[in-house]
Amino acid sequence: GSSSGGSTGGDVTPELPAGKLGELSVLSKNKISVYPSDIKEVPETLAKENVTVKNPQGETVGVAEIKRDADENGGYYITLASDLVDGEYTFTMILKGKKYTDTFVYDSAIRSKLDELERLIKEYENKPVISASALTTPKLCEKAMYDGITNKLGDKLNGFTLEVEYMGSPSVKGNELTASMWIAIYDDANGKCELYDEVTFVCTGDTF
C-alpha cells in the first residue's frame, strides 16, 4: 500500500505560517507590548485565547487584558493575570492567519532600574526650563527634553537607550508651553519604560 504520510484524515491542524515580530517589550511586572513588523495596522481586538505566554517552567500565564496601541495601531499592550518572575518566557500569538513566536526575558533588577529612571524623568518633567525659541518652534522641546533628561540621569542611563519624541498638541500661556511628549527607555534585553505625558516647559533665556 502507499504511505499516507502519517496523516489521519481531517484532524491534523496545519502549521500556520510564521509571522514576524518587530518588538516584544516588558513594560512592567505584569505588562508586555508586542508589535508585528509585517502588519502596519493590527485589528482593534485580539482574543485572549490567541495569546499564550509560558513562564520559565513552561507553565501558561493567564492573560487579563489585551488593548491595541491607541497611537500607532501597530501593536498590542497585554496585561498578564500574574506578575512576571525572573527568567525567559515564551510568547505565542495567532493573528491574521499567522503564528508569531518569540521569547522575552524578565529581569527584576533591570525592572527596578527602569522604575527608578521613570521616577527621575517624572521629576524632570515638572516645568523644565528651555529656550524661548520653543514658543514659536515647539518641536525644539524634543531635543531640549532629551538633553535635559540625559543631564539629570547621568550615569544612571549607562546600558539604556533613551528616545524622546514631540507628539504635538502645543498650547502657550505666557512663557509656558505645554506639549505632548513620548519618552521611552530600553535596555539591551526586553525591558522598556514608556511615558506619554503632557509636559509644561518654562521658555526663557536665549533664543537660538
Side-chain angles (χ1 to χ4, degrees), residues 81-92:
S82 56
D83 288 352
L84 296 161
V85 296
D86 282 8
E88 186 175 84
Y89 285 73
T90 304
F91 172 87
T92 309

Side-chain angles (χ1 to χ4, degrees), residues 106-120:
Y106 182 75
D107 183 327
S108 54
I110 288 175
R111 188 74 252 160
S112 61
K113 281 185 189 169
L114 283 165
D115 291 344
E116 164 75 354
L117 294 176
E118 183 173 348
R119 189 182 65 72
L120 292 169

Side-chain angles (χ1 to χ4, degrees), residues 7-34:
S7 173
T8 51
D11 62 355
V12 173
T13 309
E15 261 304 305
L16 291 171
K20 287 190 179 142
L21 279 182
E23 184 192 322
L24 178 56
S25 299
V26 178
L27 299 177
S28 72
K29 61 186 179 196
N30 69 343
K31 196 171 182 182
I32 59 175
S33 64
V34 55

Side-chain angles (χ1 to χ4, degrees), residues 35 44 67-77 167 196:
Y35 293 84
E44 192 169 346
K67 277 189 170 172
R68 185 170 71 169
D69 180 344
D71 291 286
E72 301 291 340
N73 300 337
Y76 297 103
Y77 293 106
M167 306 283 287
Y196 289 90

